[in-house]
Amino acid sequence: MHWTRPFDSIGSGVLSAFGALGVFFGFAAESVRSLADVGTWGPLLVLHMRRIGVDSIPIALFLSTFTGIVLALQASYTFTGAIPLYFVGTLVGKTMILELGPVLTGLALSGRVGANIAAELGTMRVSEQIDALETMAYNPVAYLVVPRILAAILMFPIIVAFGNTLGITAGWITSINVLDMSTEQFVHGLQLFYKPFDITYSMIKATSFGFVIALIGCFQGFHTQGGAEGVGVATTRAVVISGMLILVLDAFWAFTLLQ
Amino acid sequence: MSIELIDIHKAFGPKRILRGVSLTVDEGETVSLVGFSGAGKSVTLKHIAGLLKPDRGTVVVDGLDVPTLSRKDLYVLRLQMGYVFQFAALFDSMTIAENLAMGLRKLEGMSEHDIRDRIKESLDRVELEGFENRYPAELSGGQRKRAGLARAIAYRPKYLLYDEPTSGLDPVTTTVIDRLIMRMKEDLGVTSLVITHDMGSAYKISDRIAMLYEGRVVEVGTPADIQASGSKVVRGFVEGKPEMVEEGAEEQGLSA
Ligand SMILES: Nc1ncnc2c1ncn2[C@@H]1O[C@H](COP(=O)(O)OP(=O)(O)OP(=O)(O)O)[C@@H](O)[C@H]1O
Ligand SMILES: [Mg+2]
């Protein structure tokens, strides 16, 4: 073996990574182009909005409720006497809206919505249903991908808004029942550092997470290879990659919008 | 109005599957493509519909160069082409009627009523009367296959590409499908390429039979020509004699 061989393999690894990125951006560009094909995706949009909603609302509400409760309890545990108790309201509100509402929901839904999309499209790919769409003159990206991405973009802010509301409500109920606080104190804390931009920020995050989850799920499903095993691989990848991208995006928004 | 495959080469990674396939299907003609499992018959068919792009060579359908067509022109061409997938490829989230309606909805000037009539007529042709509201998962393999066939013929294409339309069917249903293929040609003047493993069917339905072997079409001829073929590869294949095929391949220098 020649001594440059290990470097060759690094070289080809880098090349194939770039190749994969190229395929990904090609796919994203094709999705944007297919927006023009309204006749194909339009009739399917509501269906997918409903499906993503049904898939997501219960899980998001469950998650937010418990997060709200724990936030309230941990805030009061941390503040013990040194800081006025009404800051519990501040912490619950701010943390829920700015961070945990969108991020926890996003992570949980990458496992629900993202996996679901990847498995469904992956199965359609390996059973040649996507080819069948092609032969019947349907643009499969317009038919399968666009309505799912749009539905996720539209539904995620709504889901996260519900989650935020419920999480704060759960924090409030915990505060007045367990922490010896009054409703006035909690609401005072909640309003203390509140800015309208907090909501915008939360919704921007939710929208971007919805976009990433649906796009990655569709991409992985669309490029599934092999049989049942391939569908498994695509599904796992969709969850892992969109989970990582959510965390990266989270940091990105904090750097760009909060500075 | 013909299908021309011109020197098609196609490799998947290091696997060179097609190595110069050339074949013409004339207007109104039915040609069967036979060959060993894994020879690349399905891959060949996918090139005609533009589902795969050749590494080299080209496909001309209706005078149009398929690999270089714009998406819009390709879709116009595909509406004149029915594709019967080897494993049916039915949309499993839809009923059989909805599966058939997908292609029909793309046609100009079909009312919902026309669509319903056409679905019924197509299902009758493959002996699946009353299956409109069933889901693919509720069908047997052979029924699914026939539903896939009905979906392909529903919009009355000028070209039909059949990928093993009769494999896995009982002898009587096979005869029904064979007759259907012949009727599509006689009644509607369809130009067809049929992949099959069933030599009995091939002799019955084809104007010509082509054999794919080691990535090339090694013989084309009428059923009578094929039955009387001097090639050991063809005779060995038709008669199911692997030793004869090997011997013939060595003599003709065809082996890999
Ligand atoms: N998308 C693909 N990626 C990689 N290899 C493929 C792909 N499609 C087909 N092949 C390979 O090409 C070869 C030919 O496949 P093809 O499906 O055309 O065979 P076939 O002649 O139709 O066989 P059968 O009669 O069993 O259906 C096989 O070795 C298969 O593994
Ligand atoms: Mg095949």
Side-chain angles (χ1 to χ4, degrees), chain B residues 41-43 86 163-164 195:
Chain B
K41 303 182 296 295
S42 300
V43 169
Q86 185 168 1
D163 198 342
E164 302 194 14
I195 294 177

Side-chain angles (χ1 to χ4, degrees), chain A residues 30 34 37 40 120 123-124 127-141 143, chain B residues 46 49 51 71 75 78-79 81 83 85-86 89-92 94 99 102-103 105-106 151 155:
Chain A
E30 176 62 29
S34 302
D37 196 352
T40 302
E120 192 177 357
T123 305
M124 290 187 75
S127 61
E128 297 185 319
Q129 292 176 53
I130 294 183
D131 285 338
L133 278 174
E134 281 274 5
T135 62
M136 282 183 269
Y138 284 81
N139 173 354
V141 174
Y143 190 82
Chain B
K46 282 182 185 164
L51 296 172
R71 164 160 271 151
Y75 283 178
R78 278 182 182 158
L79 279 181
M81 230 184 237
Y83 198 114
F85 285 86
Q86 185 168 1
L90 297 171
F91 305 119
D92 46 27
M94 300 179 195
N99 264 279
M102 286 290 280
R105 293 239 153 79
K106 284 270 169 174
R151 186 175 69 179
Y155 50 98

Side-chain angles (χ1 to χ4, degrees), chain B:
Chain B
M1 282 284 290
S2 62
I3 300 171
E4 281 173 81
L5 293 157
I6 303 163
D7 194 33
I8 305 280
H9 286 71
K10 182 71 182 179
F12 294 105
K15 281 189 298 184
R16 291 166 63 215
I17 307 297
L18 305 183
R19 302 185 224 159
V21 171
S22 293
L23 179 67
T24 303
V25 186
D26 292 320
E27 177 169 357
E29 193 186 27
T30 300
V31 173
S32 290
L33 184 64
V34 301
F36 291 100
S37 180
K41 303 182 296 295
S42 300
V43 169
T44 304
L45 210 62
K46 282 182 185 164
H47 279 85
I48 300 173
L51 296 172
L52 290 173
K53 278 202 170 43
D55 299 334
R56 224 169 82 200
T58 193
V59 185
V60 178
V61 180
D62 224 14
L64 302 167
D65 187 62
V66 177
T68 57
L69 279 183
S70 72
R71 164 160 271 151
K72 207 167 132 259
D73 294 338
L74 183 61
Y75 283 178
V76 171
L77 179 63
R78 278 182 182 158
L79 279 181
Q80 313 185 5
M81 230 184 237
Y83 198 114
V84 182
F85 285 86
Q86 185 168 1
F87 304 103
L90 297 171
F91 305 119
D92 46 27
S93 61
M94 300 179 195
T95 63
I96 299 304
E98 286 162 350
N99 264 279
L100 268 66
M102 286 290 280
L104 297 172
R105 293 239 153 79
K106 284 270 169 174
L107 299 184
E108 303 279 318
M110 295 267 299
S111 69
E112 281 303 310
H113 189 263
D114 296 339
I115 290 179
R116 222 170 314 127
D117 284 350
R118 192 67 79 75
I119 290 172
K120 188 176 177 322
E121 178 202 308
S122 307
L123 288 177
D124 285 354
R125 277 183 187 266
V126 298
E127 307 208 320
L128 285 177
E129 298 88 353
F131 276 67
E132 277 91 343
N133 296 322
R134 301 252 213 127
Y135 281 90
E138 301 166 357
L139 267 54
S140 77
Q143 288 169 337
R144 248 177 261 167
K145 188 136 223 176
R146 283 183 281 152
L149 185 58
R151 186 175 69 179
I153 61 171
Y155 50 98
R156 298 202 181 136
K158 286 200 286 187
Y159 301 93
L160 271 164
L161 308 172
Y162 302 89
D163 198 342
E164 302 194 14
T166 57
S167 67
L169 299 181
D170 62 82
V172 172
T173 315
T174 299
T175 305
V176 170
I177 300 300
D178 285 346
R179 286 192 188 145
L180 170 69
I181 294 173
M182 290 188 276
R183 235 186 12 244
M184 293 305 291
K185 175 186 141 165
E186 281 151 21
D187 298 356
L188 305 172
V190 169
T191 305
S192 324
L193 187 58
V194 187
I195 294 177
T196 183
H197 279 141
D198 181 344
M199 291 313 296
S201 285
Y203 292 144
K204 219 172 357 166
I205 62 175
S206 328
D207 297 306
R208 289 185 301 145
I209 298 174
M211 174 153 175
L212 189 65
Y213 183 74
E214 296 292 341
R216 290 189 193 85
V217 173
V218 292
E219 183 134 337
V220 199
T222 62
D225 291 342
I226 295 292
Q227 274 163 309
S229 171
S231 156
K232 283 190 177 161
V233 172
V234 176
R235 284 239 318 281
F237 176 79
V238 169
E239 293 167 19
K241 292 181 180 150
E243 296 78 14
M244 191 189 274
V245 173
E246 265 170 46
E247 208 178 298
E250 259 168 52
E251 281 170 23
Q252 289 175 256
L254 284 171
S255 47

